[in-house]
C-alpha cells in the first residue's frame, strides 16, 4: 500500500467523527460533508510524518475549515444577505465516492442526534463561541488547542465556551412541577402526531381548542384558523411527516415544538395548556416573529461526552470540562 493510500485509509477511519464535528458547527449535512472534503484536500497535501495524534490533528483541520465558513456566513449576515453558500471543493478519488446530495434521512438522523433546539441555539452564537463550545463540550478538545485554533489564549477560549454554555443552558421561570406537566402534554401531542393516532390526539386536546397559523406557514400566504379538537386532530394526524421532523424545545420559557432548516429556526409550535389540555396552538413561521423568540435546549444543559456520531466514534480525549467563572 502506498503512502497516499495509507493516509486515505486513516482519514476514512476518522470520517464519521469528523462529519459529526462539522455538522455540529455548521448545522447542515451538505456543508459538513464539504467541510470534511476540504479538510481532506488540505491533509492530502500536508506532511504528516510528524503528526502523532492523527485524530486530534484532523479535528483541528476540520474545525479551521468550519471556522472560516462560519466567519464568512457571519459577514454575509451583516451585509444583509439571506443566502449562505456552502464550501466549494473538489472530490478526491478514493476518499469520497459520488457527488450526490446528502439524503434527507441523513439530515434527520443527525438532527435527532444533536437536537434541533441545540442547532438553533448554536446558530445564535458567534463563530468563536460556537467552535469553542462544540470542540470542548461535545468533543473534549483541550482549551490550549482551541486557543491555538482561534488565535487566542486558553483562558479566552475557556471564556468563549463558558459564555456559549450559559446561552445553551437557558432556563425557565416556570415552577418545575408545572413545567414537567406541560412538557408531558406537549410530548404526548408530538408522539400522537408522529404516529397519526387520532384518538391519542383527542385525549390531549381541549374540545374547544383553536389552532392559529401565520401567513408564512403555508401552503397559501394567508393566516389559518382551525377550531375544534376533531378538526385539529385530523390535521395533525395527517401531518406525520412534518411531525417526524419536529422536536421539543423551550421557547420563551415554555415547552414547545420546533422545526429547523440547516440549523436555522423555520417554524415554532407554541401551546396554551389549561388543566392538562391543549386549548390553543400557534404555528409561527414569519421570520420577524421567529427572530423575537428565545429558544433554549429543553433539558437546560448540554451533556458533554454524551454526543456520538453515526458510527459511534468518540471524540479526542481531553481533560474534564469545568464551567469556571470568566476571568
Amino acid at each position: 500500500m502506498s503512502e497516499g493510500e495509507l493516509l486515505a485509509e486513516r482519514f476514512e477511519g476518522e470520517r464519521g467523527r469528523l462529519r459529526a464535528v462539522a455538522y455540529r458547527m455548521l448545522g447542515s449535512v451538505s456543508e459538513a460533508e464539504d467541510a470534511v472534503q476540504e479538510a481532506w484536500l488540505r491533509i492530502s497535501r500536508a506532511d504528516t510524518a510528524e503528526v502523532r495524534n492523527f485524530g486530534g490533528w484532523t479535528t483541528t483541520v476540520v474545525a479551521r475549515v468550519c471556522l472560516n465558513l462560519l466567519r464568512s456566513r457571519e459577514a454575509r449576515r451583516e451585509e444583509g444577505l439571506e443566502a449562505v453558500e456552502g464550501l466549494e471543493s473538489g472530490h478526491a478519488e478514493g476518499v469520497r465516492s459520488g457527488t450526490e446530495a446528502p439524503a434527507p434521512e441523513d439530515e434527520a438522523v443527525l438532527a435527532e442526534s444533536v437536537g434541533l433546539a441545540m442547532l438553533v441555539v448554536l446558530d445564535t452564537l458567534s463563530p468563536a463561541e460556537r467552535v469553542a463550545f462544540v470542540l470542548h463540550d461535545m468533543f473534549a478538545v483541550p482549551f490550549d488547542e482551541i486557543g491555538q485554533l482561534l488565535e487566542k489564549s486558553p483562558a479566552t477560549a475557556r471564556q468563549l465556551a463558558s459564555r456559549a454554555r450559559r446561552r445553551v443552558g437557558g432556563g425557565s421561570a416556570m415552577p418545575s412541577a408545572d413545567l414537567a406537566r406541560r412538557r408531558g402534554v406537549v410530548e404526548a401531542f408530538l408522539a400522537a402526531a408522529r404516529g397519526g393516532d387520532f384518538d391519542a390526539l383527542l385525549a390531549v386536546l381541549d374540545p374547544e381548542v383553536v389552532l392559529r397559523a401565520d401567513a408564512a406557514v403555508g401552503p397559501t400566504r394567508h393566516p389559518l384558523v382551525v377550531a375544534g379538537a376533531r378538526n385539529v386532530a385530523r390535521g395533525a394526524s395527517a401531518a406525520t411527516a412534518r411531525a417526524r421532523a419536529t422536536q421539543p424545545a423551550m421557547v420563551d420559557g415554555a415547552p414547545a415544538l420546533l422545526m429547523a432548516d440547516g440549523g436555522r429556526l423555520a417554524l415554532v409550535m407554541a401551546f396554551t395548556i389549561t388543566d392538562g389540555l391543549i386549548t390553543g396552538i400557534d404555528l409561527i413561521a414569519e421570520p420577524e416573529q421567529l427572530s423575537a423568540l428565545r429558544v433554549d435546549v429543553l433539558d437546560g444543559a448540554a451533556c458533554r461526552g454524551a454526543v456520538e456520531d453515526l458510527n459511534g466514534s468518540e471524540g479526542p480525549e481531553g481533560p474534564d470540562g469545568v464551567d469556571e467563572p470568566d476571568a
Side-chain angles (χ1 to χ4, degrees):
M1 182 179 293
S2 69
E3 184 176 337
E5 291 173 334
L6 180 60
L7 180 62
E9 183 176 303
R10 294 182 69 189
F11 184 84
E12 194 62 34
E14 301 288 337
R15 177 175 291 279
R17 182 180 55 78
L18 295 176
R19 185 172 72 154
V21 172
Y23 180 71
R24 284 151 180 80
M25 288 192 184
L26 301 174
S28 163
V29 170
S30 60
E31 288 190 359
E33 292 282 8
D34 285 342
V36 172
Q37 181 63 17
E38 176 68 20
W40 162 249
L41 293 176
R42 297 185 183 190
I43 289 168
S44 66
R45 295 191 293 262
D47 182 2
T48 61
E50 301 300 321
V51 175
R52 296 184 178 181
N53 182 355
F54 188 77
W57 180 61
T58 54
T59 298
T60 300
V61 176
V62 167
R64 184 170 289 111
V65 172
C66 292
L67 178 62
N68 291 338
L69 181 55
L70 288 170
R71 285 171 172 168
S72 174
R73 182 187 293 177
E74 189 77 7
R76 296 185 184 197
R77 284 182 182 174
E78 292 173 359
E79 294 169 0
L81 297 178
E82 296 181 356
V84 179
E85 297 178 358
L87 287 172
E88 295 180 357
S89 57
H91 302 277
E93 183 178 354
V95 176
R96 181 178 176 184
S97 59
T99 59
E100 67 278 2
E105 53 267 28
D106 290 342
E107 191 94 44
V109 169
L110 278 171
E112 186 74 29
S113 71
V114 182
L116 290 180
M118 175 67 79
L119 292 176
V120 169
V121 174
L122 290 176
D123 193 53
T124 68
L125 304 177
S126 71
E129 289 171 344
R130 186 164 185 168
V131 168
F133 176 78
V134 169
L135 288 182
H136 182 265
D137 284 50
M138 293 185 171
F139 293 94
V141 177
F143 282 120
D144 56 349
E145 296 182 18
I146 298 172
Q148 292 177 15
L149 171 66
L150 297 175
E151 298 181 342
K152 299 181 183 296
S153 68
T156 300
R158 183 185 297 274
Q159 288 177 359
L160 289 167
S162 179
R163 191 182 307 155
R165 195 176 303 119
R166 289 195 296 270
R167 177 65 186 90
V168 169
S172 172
M174 190 178 297
S176 58
D178 191 27
L179 177 62
R181 284 192 293 269
R182 289 172 180 266
R183 175 175 174 175
V185 173
V186 171
E187 292 183 346
F189 175 88
L190 177 60
R194 285 178 171 175
D197 191 331
F198 186 81
D199 291 334
L201 285 164
L202 287 179
V204 296
L205 295 172
D206 184 270
E208 305 301 321
V209 63
V210 176
L211 179 148
R212 297 177 176 85
D214 67 32
V217 173
T220 65
R221 292 292 301 180
H222 299 286
L224 175 69
V225 178
V226 178
R230 298 189 70 83
N231 291 330
V232 172
R234 191 175 296 113
S237 61
T240 55
R242 172 173 282 191
R244 292 191 187 102
T246 303
Q247 290 188 16
M250 292 291 290
V251 177
D252 284 351
L257 301 175
L258 61 79
M259 295 180 67
D261 182 13
R264 295 174 193 164
L265 192 59
L267 182 144
V268 164
M269 182 178 290
F271 296 86
T272 301
I273 300 173
T274 306
D275 296 331
L277 293 176
I278 298 170
T279 56
I281 302 175
D282 290 287
L283 300 183
I284 305 167
E286 291 284 0
E288 289 186 4
Q289 294 189 53
L290 291 177
S291 65
L293 299 175
R294 172 186 165 186
V295 177
D296 295 307
V297 178
L298 189 62
D299 291 329
C303 181
R304 184 179 65 79
V307 181
E308 297 180 350
D309 61 35
L310 292 177
N311 294 329
S313 303
E314 298 180 355
E317 293 183 359
D320 250 354
V322 179
D323 190 3
E324 298 181 2
D326 293 350

